[in-house]
Amino acid sequence: MDKVIIGTSIRQKWIAESGLIRVVAILMGGFALSRFNPSKTESELETVITILLFLTFHCSTFAAIVSCVIASRLNWKKDDDEMPPSWILVMPRGATVMAVVCYLLAVSLLGASKSEGMMLVLFISFGSICLVTMMVVTFILWSH
């Protein structure tokens, strides 16, 4: 059974997606910012983690702000008005995917850097599984 809501316009769908992106971006950015500590870069691995967290919360902030602007702009349009170019509409989606990738890498490396033995294997393998799964699902959903 198809779960498309009857009567929902393309404009309304983009407004709804903007709302979802804002929530995910704010959560991701907040988690990354809470772990971000630029003064704690004593090793190369800690520097990489810091850079990944930096990229995460900046991509998240970008996605949230652009989503707000898009939703605000679309709220004042009618359903039959011309839509903005699709490359503008998908920009927050791409930034959110980039933020999620950076966050998963940072958290996996952070856990691995503090672990030994089986815990190290657990962090690296679980982080890799999450990252690959997220990328495959994103690719499949984005291509349809």
Side-chain angles (χ1 to χ4, degrees):
M1 177 174 216
D2 197 8
K3 294 188 178 191
V4 174
I5 300 171
I6 306 297
T8 302
S9 69
I10 297 295
R11 181 187 67 84
Q12 292 167 336
K13 289 178 182 178
W14 278 111
I15 291 170
E17 181 171 323
S18 291
L20 293 173
I21 286 175
R22 284 191 305 257
V23 170
V24 170
I26 289 167
L27 286 170
M28 194 72 52
F31 291 147
L33 194 54
S34 70
R35 292 279 186 198
F36 181 69
N37 188 359
S39 63
K40 190 177 180 184
T41 55
E42 297 166 2
S43 70
E44 290 176 359
L45 186 57
E46 288 175 343
T47 302
V48 169
I49 292 167
T50 300
I51 291 169
L52 288 169
L53 292 172
F54 177 83
L55 289 172
T56 299
F57 70 78
H58 276 78
C59 288
S60 297
T61 303
F62 173 80
I65 290 171
V66 173
S67 290
C68 285
V69 171
I70 288 172
S72 176
R73 183 79 176 129
L74 292 178
N75 272 332
W76 292 100
K77 289 185 172 283
K78 295 178 184 169
D79 286 344
D80 55 354
D81 286 348
E82 186 177 345
M83 295 289 290
S86 62
W87 65 269
I88 290 176
L89 295 172
V90 299
M91 208 181 287
R93 192 187 296 172
T96 303
V97 168
M98 191 167 148
V100 170
V101 168
C102 288
Y103 183 74
L104 287 172
L105 281 170
V107 169
S108 297
L109 290 174
L110 183 64
S113 71
K114 308 283 186 200
S115 302
E116 295 177 356
M118 287 306 293
M119 288 303 290
L120 175 65
V121 172
L122 176 70
F123 273 108
I124 291 175
S125 59
F126 189 69
S128 300
I129 290 168
C130 288
L131 187 61
V132 168
T133 302
M134 192 276 313
M135 292 174 82
V136 167
V137 168
T138 300
F139 176 75
I140 290 169
L141 293 178
W142 212 333
S143 64
H144 290 346

